[in-house]
Amino acid sequence: ALRARMEERLLSARFRYLNQQLYTGSSRDAARLFRADPTAFHLYHRGFERQMRRWPERPVQRIVRYLRRRPASLVVADFGCGDCTLAASVRNRVHCFDLVPLSPRVTVCDMAEVPLADESVDVAVFCLALMGTNLQEILGEANRVLKLGGTLMVAEVASRFEDIHTFLKAMAQLGFRTVSKDLSSSYFYVLEFAKTGPCRASPAPGLRLRPCLYKRR
Ligand code: SAH
């Protein structure tokens, strides 16, 4: 029992450390980290799953519900797809991107550089996946692959937002108009945007999210 408890402690400590790396470095650093040590990725995901079980609802279920209300003909890109729950739950064609394949559906790549043509998808999704510090580059990539008028869905941990209005203003600079925002959960926000045009190249200083760090338990 003691040994099991010690192992558990060690796993949680490693998870917290990896999680911190992901939120405090660029998406490229994350790609390098997991490429160098794929076991770290699996460990991260076990920790992520454990966190999710504590939540009243998984944010990805909200995205699933959203997509089921819209035509199944819409082409979707899931940035940071994890175990591909989204792709497995809808009829749409879903391009799944992540750093290491948890499922054969995954295309392995850094989300700042996905192998999709310009203006080729109708819906881009970031479900708890805006982890890298190069947010502008990552969201710029989503803008590039989205058709004009296409939808960007973001589900993110509520406590990561310092000031939602500043964040939404910065999103407008990146070519994303806010269509709806659900701030009702204390766990996560769900934001829906429409692409109004290309991403502006100038920096959007309001585009900041706090890292999501877990406490030791
Ligand atoms: N969207 C899934 C998983 C969320 S966990 C869900 O809601 O269940 C965040 C995911 O983003 C992880 O699978 C992680 O590996 C992935 N990720 C983090 N940085 C990434 C990057 N630079 N490129 C691609 N995927 C990344």
PDB file of all heavy atoms in Angstrom, residues 27 30 34 41 45 48 58 60 80-82 98-99 109-111 127-129 131, ligand 1:
ATOM      1  N   SER A  27       4.434  26.108 -28.363  1.00  0.00           N
ATOM      2  CA  SER A  27       3.931  24.830 -28.887  1.00  0.00           C
ATOM      3  C   SER A  27       5.092  24.013 -29.458  1.00  0.00           C
ATOM      4  O   SER A  27       5.056  22.790 -29.440  1.00  0.00           O
ATOM      5  CB  SER A  27       2.868  25.083 -29.952  1.00  0.00           C
ATOM      6  OG  SER A  27       3.439  25.677 -31.086  1.00  0.00           O
ATOM      7  N   ALA A  30       6.732  22.125 -26.728  1.00  0.00           N
ATOM      8  CA  ALA A  30       5.907  20.970 -26.356  1.00  0.00           C
ATOM      9  C   ALA A  30       6.145  19.828 -27.336  1.00  0.00           C
ATOM     10  O   ALA A  30       6.283  18.672 -26.936  1.00  0.00           O
ATOM     11  CB  ALA A  30       4.428  21.365 -26.356  1.00  0.00           C
ATOM     12  N   PHE A  34       7.670  16.079 -26.197  1.00  0.00           N
ATOM     13  CA  PHE A  34       7.002  14.793 -26.374  1.00  0.00           C
ATOM     14  C   PHE A  34       7.686  13.916 -27.407  1.00  0.00           C
ATOM     15  O   PHE A  34       7.587  12.694 -27.349  1.00  0.00           O
ATOM     16  CB  PHE A  34       5.532  14.992 -26.725  1.00  0.00           C
ATOM     17  CG  PHE A  34       4.693  15.403 -25.550  1.00  0.00           C
ATOM     18  CD1 PHE A  34       3.565  16.187 -25.726  1.00  0.00           C
ATOM     19  CD2 PHE A  34       5.008  14.974 -24.263  1.00  0.00           C
ATOM     20  CE1 PHE A  34       2.773  16.558 -24.646  1.00  0.00           C
ATOM     21  CE2 PHE A  34       4.217  15.344 -23.173  1.00  0.00           C
ATOM     22  CZ  PHE A  34       3.107  16.138 -23.369  1.00  0.00           C
ATOM     23  N   PHE A  41       4.225  11.773 -22.657  1.00  0.00           N
ATOM     24  CA  PHE A  41       2.918  12.101 -23.226  1.00  0.00           C
ATOM     25  C   PHE A  41       1.826  11.210 -22.626  1.00  0.00           C
ATOM     26  O   PHE A  41       0.771  11.684 -22.212  1.00  0.00           O
ATOM     27  CB  PHE A  41       2.982  11.920 -24.741  1.00  0.00           C
ATOM     28  CG  PHE A  41       1.703  12.208 -25.450  1.00  0.00           C
ATOM     29  CD1 PHE A  41       1.357  13.504 -25.774  1.00  0.00           C
ATOM     30  CD2 PHE A  41       0.841  11.180 -25.802  1.00  0.00           C
ATOM     31  CE1 PHE A  41       0.176  13.778 -26.438  1.00  0.00           C
ATOM     32  CE2 PHE A  41      -0.338  11.438 -26.466  1.00  0.00           C
ATOM     33  CZ  PHE A  41      -0.674  12.744 -26.786  1.00  0.00           C
ATOM     34  N   HIS A  45      -1.344  12.267 -20.318  1.00  0.00           N
ATOM     35  CA  HIS A  45      -2.744  11.983 -20.604  1.00  0.00           C
ATOM     36  C   HIS A  45      -3.457  11.236 -19.490  1.00  0.00           C
ATOM     37  O   HIS A  45      -4.642  11.473 -19.245  1.00  0.00           O
ATOM     38  CB  HIS A  45      -2.904  11.285 -21.949  1.00  0.00           C
ATOM     39  CG  HIS A  45      -3.135  12.294 -23.009  1.00  0.00           C
ATOM     40  ND1 HIS A  45      -4.375  12.798 -23.284  1.00  0.00           N
ATOM     41  CD2 HIS A  45      -2.266  12.978 -23.770  1.00  0.00           C
ATOM     42  CE1 HIS A  45      -4.264  13.732 -24.192  1.00  0.00           C
ATOM     43  NE2 HIS A  45      -2.999  13.863 -24.512  1.00  0.00           N
ATOM     44  N   PHE A  48      -4.315  13.925 -17.154  1.00  0.00           N
ATOM     45  CA  PHE A  48      -5.396  14.749 -17.717  1.00  0.00           C
ATOM     46  C   PHE A  48      -6.743  14.047 -17.503  1.00  0.00           C
ATOM     47  O   PHE A  48      -7.717  14.663 -17.046  1.00  0.00           O
ATOM     48  CB  PHE A  48      -5.132  14.997 -19.207  1.00  0.00           C
ATOM     49  CG  PHE A  48      -6.257  15.698 -19.915  1.00  0.00           C
ATOM     50  CD1 PHE A  48      -6.453  17.056 -19.753  1.00  0.00           C
ATOM     51  CD2 PHE A  48      -7.124  15.001 -20.745  1.00  0.00           C
ATOM     52  CE1 PHE A  48      -7.492  17.707 -20.393  1.00  0.00           C
ATOM     53  CE2 PHE A  48      -8.164  15.633 -21.390  1.00  0.00           C
ATOM     54  CZ  PHE A  48      -8.360  16.993 -21.220  1.00  0.00           C
ATOM     55  N   ARG A  58     -17.420  17.068 -19.204  1.00  0.00           N
ATOM     56  CA  ARG A  58     -16.223  17.232 -20.036  1.00  0.00           C
ATOM     57  C   ARG A  58     -16.510  18.269 -21.111  1.00  0.00           C
ATOM     58  O   ARG A  58     -17.505  18.152 -21.844  1.00  0.00           O
ATOM     59  CB  ARG A  58     -15.855  15.918 -20.703  1.00  0.00           C
ATOM     60  CG  ARG A  58     -15.211  14.922 -19.765  1.00  0.00           C
ATOM     61  CD  ARG A  58     -14.711  13.750 -20.555  1.00  0.00           C
ATOM     62  NE  ARG A  58     -13.519  14.126 -21.303  1.00  0.00           N
ATOM     63  CZ  ARG A  58     -12.416  13.385 -21.339  1.00  0.00           C
ATOM     64  NH1 ARG A  58     -12.363  12.241 -20.723  1.00  0.00           N
ATOM     65  NH2 ARG A  58     -11.380  13.789 -22.019  1.00  0.00           N
ATOM     66  N   VAL A  60     -15.423  18.705 -23.970  1.00  0.00           N
ATOM     67  CA  VAL A  60     -15.551  18.178 -25.336  1.00  0.00           C
ATOM     68  C   VAL A  60     -16.992  17.779 -25.643  1.00  0.00           C
ATOM     69  O   VAL A  60     -17.450  17.880 -26.785  1.00  0.00           O
ATOM     70  CB  VAL A  60     -14.555  17.015 -25.576  1.00  0.00           C
ATOM     71  CG1 VAL A  60     -14.883  15.784 -24.744  1.00  0.00           C
ATOM     72  CG2 VAL A  60     -14.481  16.651 -27.056  1.00  0.00           C
ATOM     73  N   GLY A  80      -5.216  19.666 -31.055  1.00  0.00           N
ATOM     74  CA  GLY A  80      -4.976  19.099 -29.722  1.00  0.00           C
ATOM     75  C   GLY A  80      -6.122  18.162 -29.372  1.00  0.00           C
ATOM     76  O   GLY A  80      -6.825  18.346 -28.382  1.00  0.00           O
ATOM     77  N   CYS A  81      -6.300  17.141 -30.217  1.00  0.00           N
ATOM     78  CA  CYS A  81      -7.501  16.294 -30.160  1.00  0.00           C
ATOM     79  C   CYS A  81      -7.471  15.284 -29.023  1.00  0.00           C
ATOM     80  O   CYS A  81      -8.492  14.679 -28.705  1.00  0.00           O
ATOM     81  CB  CYS A  81      -7.650  15.559 -31.475  1.00  0.00           C
ATOM     82  SG  CYS A  81      -6.181  14.568 -31.865  1.00  0.00           S
ATOM     83  N   GLY A  82      -6.291  15.036 -28.417  1.00  0.00           N
ATOM     84  CA  GLY A  82      -6.214  14.041 -27.342  1.00  0.00           C
ATOM     85  C   GLY A  82      -6.604  12.666 -27.852  1.00  0.00           C
ATOM     86  O   GLY A  82      -6.052  12.194 -28.856  1.00  0.00           O
ATOM     87  N   ASP A  98      -2.509  16.157 -33.025  1.00  0.00           N
ATOM     88  CA  ASP A  98      -1.908  16.150 -31.685  1.00  0.00           C
ATOM     89  C   ASP A  98      -0.436  15.818 -31.812  1.00  0.00           C
ATOM     90  O   ASP A  98       0.053  15.528 -32.908  1.00  0.00           O
ATOM     91  CB  ASP A  98      -2.633  15.158 -30.755  1.00  0.00           C
ATOM     92  CG  ASP A  98      -2.580  15.628 -29.297  1.00  0.00           C
ATOM     93  OD1 ASP A  98      -1.475  15.777 -28.754  1.00  0.00           O
ATOM     94  OD2 ASP A  98      -3.651  15.862 -28.712  1.00  0.00           O
ATOM     95  N   LEU A  99       0.267  15.866 -30.703  1.00  0.00           N
ATOM     96  CA  LEU A  99       1.724  15.695 -30.724  1.00  0.00           C
ATOM     97  C   LEU A  99       2.150  14.239 -30.793  1.00  0.00           C
ATOM     98  O   LEU A  99       3.215  13.909 -31.292  1.00  0.00           O
ATOM     99  CB  LEU A  99       2.341  16.349 -29.493  1.00  0.00           C
ATOM    100  CG  LEU A  99       2.217  17.872 -29.452  1.00  0.00           C
ATOM    101  CD1 LEU A  99       2.676  18.404 -28.114  1.00  0.00           C
ATOM    102  CD2 LEU A  99       3.018  18.491 -30.576  1.00  0.00           C
ATOM    103  N   CYS A 109       1.474  16.402 -35.386  1.00  0.00           N
ATOM    104  CA  CYS A 109       2.096  17.671 -35.782  1.00  0.00           C
ATOM    105  C   CYS A 109       1.955  18.678 -34.638  1.00  0.00           C
ATOM    106  O   CYS A 109       1.200  18.462 -33.700  1.00  0.00           O
ATOM    107  CB  CYS A 109       1.439  18.233 -37.044  1.00  0.00           C
ATOM    108  SG  CYS A 109      -0.286  18.646 -36.829  1.00  0.00           S
ATOM    109  N   ASP A 110       2.713  19.755 -34.767  1.00  0.00           N
ATOM    110  CA  ASP A 110       2.556  20.892 -33.863  1.00  0.00           C
ATOM    111  C   ASP A 110       1.356  21.691 -34.366  1.00  0.00           C
ATOM    112  O   ASP A 110       1.252  21.963 -35.560  1.00  0.00           O
ATOM    113  CB  ASP A 110       3.847  21.732 -33.909  1.00  0.00           C
ATOM    114  CG  ASP A 110       3.741  23.009 -33.100  1.00  0.00           C
ATOM    115  OD1 ASP A 110       2.730  23.200 -32.388  1.00  0.00           O
ATOM    116  OD2 ASP A 110       4.681  23.817 -33.187  1.00  0.00           O
ATOM    117  N   MET A 111       0.455  22.044 -33.475  1.00  0.00           N
ATOM    118  CA  MET A 111      -0.761  22.741 -33.903  1.00  0.00           C
ATOM    119  C   MET A 111      -0.491  24.116 -34.523  1.00  0.00           C
ATOM    120  O   MET A 111      -1.372  24.695 -35.148  1.00  0.00           O
ATOM    121  CB  MET A 111      -1.737  22.861 -32.736  1.00  0.00           C
ATOM    122  CG  MET A 111      -1.194  23.615 -31.552  1.00  0.00           C
ATOM    123  SD  MET A 111      -2.478  24.034 -30.384  1.00  0.00           S
ATOM    124  CE  MET A 111      -2.827  22.469 -29.630  1.00  0.00           C
ATOM    125  N   CYS A 127     -10.171  22.497 -27.738  1.00  0.00           N
ATOM    126  CA  CYS A 127     -10.857  22.115 -26.515  1.00  0.00           C
ATOM    127  C   CYS A 127      -9.806  21.834 -25.449  1.00  0.00           C
ATOM    128  O   CYS A 127      -9.119  20.807 -25.511  1.00  0.00           O
ATOM    129  CB  CYS A 127     -11.741  20.896 -26.778  1.00  0.00           C
ATOM    130  SG  CYS A 127     -12.772  20.468 -25.378  1.00  0.00           S
ATOM    131  N   LEU A 128      -9.653  22.752 -24.529  1.00  0.00           N
ATOM    132  CA  LEU A 128      -8.608  22.690 -23.487  1.00  0.00           C
ATOM    133  C   LEU A 128      -7.229  22.515 -24.112  1.00  0.00           C
ATOM    134  O   LEU A 128      -6.363  21.843 -23.555  1.00  0.00           O
ATOM    135  CB  LEU A 128      -8.886  21.548 -22.503  1.00  0.00           C
ATOM    136  CG  LEU A 128     -10.241  21.561 -21.807  1.00  0.00           C
ATOM    137  CD1 LEU A 128     -10.365  20.362 -20.881  1.00  0.00           C
ATOM    138  CD2 LEU A 128     -10.433  22.839 -21.005  1.00  0.00           C
ATOM    139  N   ALA A 129      -7.025  23.092 -25.275  1.00  0.00           N
ATOM    140  CA  ALA A 129      -5.801  22.815 -26.026  1.00  0.00           C
ATOM    141  C   ALA A 129      -4.954  24.063 -26.304  1.00  0.00           C
ATOM    142  O   ALA A 129      -3.906  23.956 -26.937  1.00  0.00           O
ATOM    143  CB  ALA A 129      -6.144  22.115 -27.329  1.00  0.00           C
ATOM    144  N   MET A 131      -2.522  25.634 -25.160  1.00  0.00           N
ATOM    145  CA  MET A 131      -1.533  25.494 -24.098  1.00  0.00           C
ATOM    146  C   MET A 131      -0.266  26.306 -24.344  1.00  0.00           C
ATOM    147  O   MET A 131       0.325  26.828 -23.415  1.00  0.00           O
ATOM    148  CB  MET A 131      -1.164  24.028 -23.936  1.00  0.00           C
ATOM    149  CG  MET A 131      -2.372  23.131 -23.741  1.00  0.00           C
ATOM    150  SD  MET A 131      -1.896  21.415 -23.449  1.00  0.00           S
ATOM    151  CE  MET A 131      -1.844  21.380 -21.686  1.00  0.00           C
TER     152      MET A 131
HETATM  153  N1  SAH B   1      -9.182  18.186 -26.845  1.00  0.00           N
HETATM  154  C1  SAH B   1      -9.016  16.996 -26.028  1.00  0.00           C
HETATM  155  C2  SAH B   1      -7.668  16.952 -25.311  1.00  0.00           C
HETATM  156  C3  SAH B   1      -7.332  18.113 -24.435  1.00  0.00           C
HETATM  157  S1  SAH B   1      -5.754  17.945 -23.620  1.00  0.00           S
HETATM  158  C4  SAH B   1     -10.161  16.918 -25.014  1.00  0.00           C
HETATM  159  O1  SAH B   1     -10.834  17.898 -24.792  1.00  0.00           O
HETATM  160  O2  SAH B   1     -10.331  15.845 -24.453  1.00  0.00           O
HETATM  161  C5  SAH B   1      -4.777  19.013 -24.627  1.00  0.00           C
HETATM  162  C6  SAH B   1      -4.205  18.304 -25.833  1.00  0.00           C
HETATM  163  O3  SAH B   1      -3.463  19.251 -26.602  1.00  0.00           O
HETATM  164  C7  SAH B   1      -3.231  17.202 -25.439  1.00  0.00           C
HETATM  165  O4  SAH B   1      -3.589  15.993 -26.087  1.00  0.00           O
HETATM  166  C8  SAH B   1      -1.897  17.725 -25.920  1.00  0.00           C
HETATM  167  O5  SAH B   1      -1.016  16.706 -26.330  1.00  0.00           O
HETATM  168  C9  SAH B   1      -2.313  18.612 -27.086  1.00  0.00           C
HETATM  169  N2  SAH B   1      -1.283  19.590 -27.445  1.00  0.00           N
HETATM  170  C10 SAH B   1      -0.610  20.419 -26.623  1.00  0.00           C
HETATM  171  N3  SAH B   1       0.269  21.155 -27.303  1.00  0.00           N
HETATM  172  C11 SAH B   1       0.153  20.789 -28.611  1.00  0.00           C
HETATM  173  C12 SAH B   1       0.808  21.197 -29.811  1.00  0.00           C
HETATM  174  N4  SAH B   1       1.770  22.103 -29.797  1.00  0.00           N
HETATM  175  N5  SAH B   1       0.435  20.629 -30.974  1.00  0.00           N
HETATM  176  C13 SAH B   1      -0.538  19.665 -30.997  1.00  0.00           C
HETATM  177  N6  SAH B   1      -1.202  19.244 -29.898  1.00  0.00           N
HETATM  178  C14 SAH B   1      -0.852  19.784 -28.706  1.00  0.00           C
END
